[in-house]
Amino acid sequence: MSEAIEVDIGDLPGVGPATRAKLESGGITTILDLAASTTNELVDNMNLTEETAHNLVYEAQKLLREKGYLEKDLVSANELFARRAKMLRCTTYSANLDDLLAGGIETQSVTEFYGEFGSGKTQICHTLCVSAQLPVDQHGLEGSALYIDTESTFRPERIAQIARARDQDIESVLNNIHIAKIYNASHLELIVRAMGGLIQQNNVRLVIVDSIISLHRAEFVGRGTLSERQQKLNAIMHRLKRVAEIYNVAVVITNQVQSTPDTFFGDPTKAAGGNIIGHASTYRIYLRKAGQERKAIMIDSPMHPYGDTNFMVVEGGITDPPDKKPIKILKNPPSSKHLEKEDEEE
Ligand code: GTP
Ligand code: MG
């Protein structure tokens, strides 16, 4: 169901076999991947001169604009409205969480789940890989999932368990999840650059990055490397956002909470990665353990009210607790006191 983008990199002025080969060596195989690149990325990774790199990105963006794939510099609210009308929502299998998200995970957006270890981030990702395959009229995305696994925590047997509990065909569900196991930060940068092609070839509707920050956090240690790390994360987030919009896919990222080595006195309820990740995520949801249950708190959203709700992790993935309660709407943004409270109900 991904709309095919029928423009080839070779259609750009000045792109011969040599340039094409250089771009391919850096993972750029589609015009969208090129259009979403920064000049620096091409210079650093693909051995292109700054002038060539600049021209390539410019021409790619221009061509996509002309063909109507990329938003023009100015769009009317009507055009935006038409684009938003194509947006789909994917159920999490928890009505509570769906309500908090105003109907589920959205395509054309980046949804960030952050929280401490064991708060359910990876379990939500696994569950979404199953529910995304449901037909649209059953609140799925009718497409496959691309799972970018940076922590080696993807488990096919967990997928099989969830699919079985949800009466979905296990083999077909497993067939429609494509896993990219990522071992280092530059590998993550590479796969994110090359994502357009993967999405088109595999009818991907859901892209998971679990987690967005662990590799960069491990590789860029110490104050001196912070700005380089943030620059790299910024490029990744920028591209994820673009991909979500252009290919009408839902992008879900997980993030850790801040603790050392980022800062000794950090607020433990703050997401890692600073503003770079926060600003690029359309929705941010903070997760924390609450006894046997998990609490999900809407931290940042252009359209949802602040609120919180509870869900549970069970054999069938994510689900509602037995005593389903309506979303608790908060008048003000959640305070750190609210976030840290350890018991279930106040
Ligand atoms: P980190 O990646 O370590 O930061 O944590 P996370 O937020 O990704 O945690 P994850 O989603 O892996 O949650 C792990 C928790 O989910 C475990 O502590 C279990 O409580 C629960 N869980 C995982 N698998 C199952 C299962 O098959 N059945 C049930 N009932 N619970 C499960
Ligand atoms: Mg995890």
Side-chain angles (χ1 to χ4, degrees), residues 3 32 69-71 80 83-84 86 107-110 238-251 280 282:
E3 297 106 73
L32 174 76
Y69 294 120
L70 202 64
E71 273 176 29
L80 264 190
R83 186 177 274 267
R84 292 285 294 167
K86 285 201 220 155
T107 60
Q108 302 175 23
S109 291
V110 177
H238 175 80
R239 187 179 296 263
L240 289 174
K241 229 177 144 167
R242 266 275 160 84
V243 160
E245 282 167 12
I246 310 257
Y247 289 102
N248 196 21
V249 297
V251 175
T282 324

Side-chain angles (χ1 to χ4, degrees), residues 225-280:
T225 61
L226 193 63
S227 82
E228 193 186 348
R229 181 190 91 174
Q230 292 304 85
Q231 218 172 10
K232 286 175 181 293
L233 283 173
N234 192 28
I236 292 178
M237 289 303 297
H238 175 80
R239 187 179 296 263
L240 289 174
K241 229 177 144 167
R242 266 275 160 84
V243 160
E245 282 167 12
I246 310 257
Y247 289 102
N248 196 21
V249 297
V251 175
V252 172
I253 63 171
T254 70
N255 191 2
Q256 300 162 334
V257 281
Q258 196 154 35
S259 61
T260 47
D262 277 324
T263 159
F264 283 106
F265 306 103
D267 173 356
T269 62
K270 251 176 133 169
N275 291 339
I276 300 276
I277 293 179
H279 286 163

Side-chain angles (χ1 to χ4, degrees), residues 116-123 125-126 147 151 153 210-211 254:
E116 60 169 342
F117 70 94
S119 57
K121 304 180 291 293
T122 299
Q123 294 303 314
C125 295
H126 278 66
Y147 201 109
E151 300 188 334
T153 49
D210 184 23
S211 78
T254 70

Side-chain angles (χ1 to χ4, degrees), residues 86-241:
K86 285 201 220 155
M87 186 259 282
L88 299 168
R89 287 200 170 93
C90 180
T91 180
T92 61
Y93 283 133
S94 154
N96 277 357
L97 204 50
D98 286 356
D99 284 351
L100 188 77
L101 293 160
I105 302 289
E106 285 182 7
T107 60
Q108 302 175 23
S109 291
V110 177
T111 303
E112 173 190 352
F113 289 98
Y114 73 94
E116 60 169 342
F117 70 94
S119 57
K121 304 180 291 293
T122 299
Q123 294 303 314
I124 290 180
C125 295
H126 278 66
T127 308
L128 286 170
C129 285
V130 179
S131 63
Q133 299 189 33
L134 290 170
V136 169
D137 62 9
Q138 288 174 40
H139 310 290
L141 303 177
E142 240 169 83
S144 66
L146 171 63
Y147 201 109
I148 300 178
D149 184 12
T150 71
E151 300 188 334
S152 295
T153 49
F154 178 82
R155 294 286 175 273
E157 51 279 21
R158 183 70 180 116
I159 297 286
Q161 204 181 21
I162 297 171
R164 189 179 302 113
R166 302 283 171 186
D167 284 331
Q168 279 173 255
D169 183 69
I170 296 173
E171 203 182 322
S172 132
V173 165
L174 287 169
N175 257 331
N176 287 315
I177 304 173
H178 310 279
I179 298 108
K181 253 170 119 58
I182 308 292
Y183 298 100
N184 57 44
S186 49
H187 189 193
L188 177 62
E189 289 155 25
L190 180 74
I191 191 104
V192 170
R193 272 203 298 276
M195 207 147 84
L198 295 176
I199 290 175
Q200 280 192 313
Q201 286 152 23
N202 300 297
N203 183 31
V204 168
R205 282 271 157 214
L206 170 71
V207 173
I208 303 266
V209 187
D210 184 23
S211 78
I212 192 76
I213 199 169
S214 52
L215 296 171
H216 285 79
R217 221 179 181 189
E219 280 178 40
F220 295 85
V221 211
R223 287 260 154 232
T225 61
L226 193 63
S227 82
E228 193 186 348
R229 181 190 91 174
Q230 292 304 85
Q231 218 172 10
K232 286 175 181 293
L233 283 173
N234 192 28
I236 292 178
M237 289 303 297
H238 175 80
R239 187 179 296 263
L240 289 174
K241 229 177 144 167

Side-chain angles (χ1 to χ4, degrees), residues 7 11-12 31 59-68:
V7 205
D11 297 340
L12 290 176
I31 204 130
E59 292 292 341
Q61 291 183 348
K62 189 166 142 234
L63 193 75
L64 287 184
R65 264 190 209 108
E66 283 164 9
K67 302 257 179 192

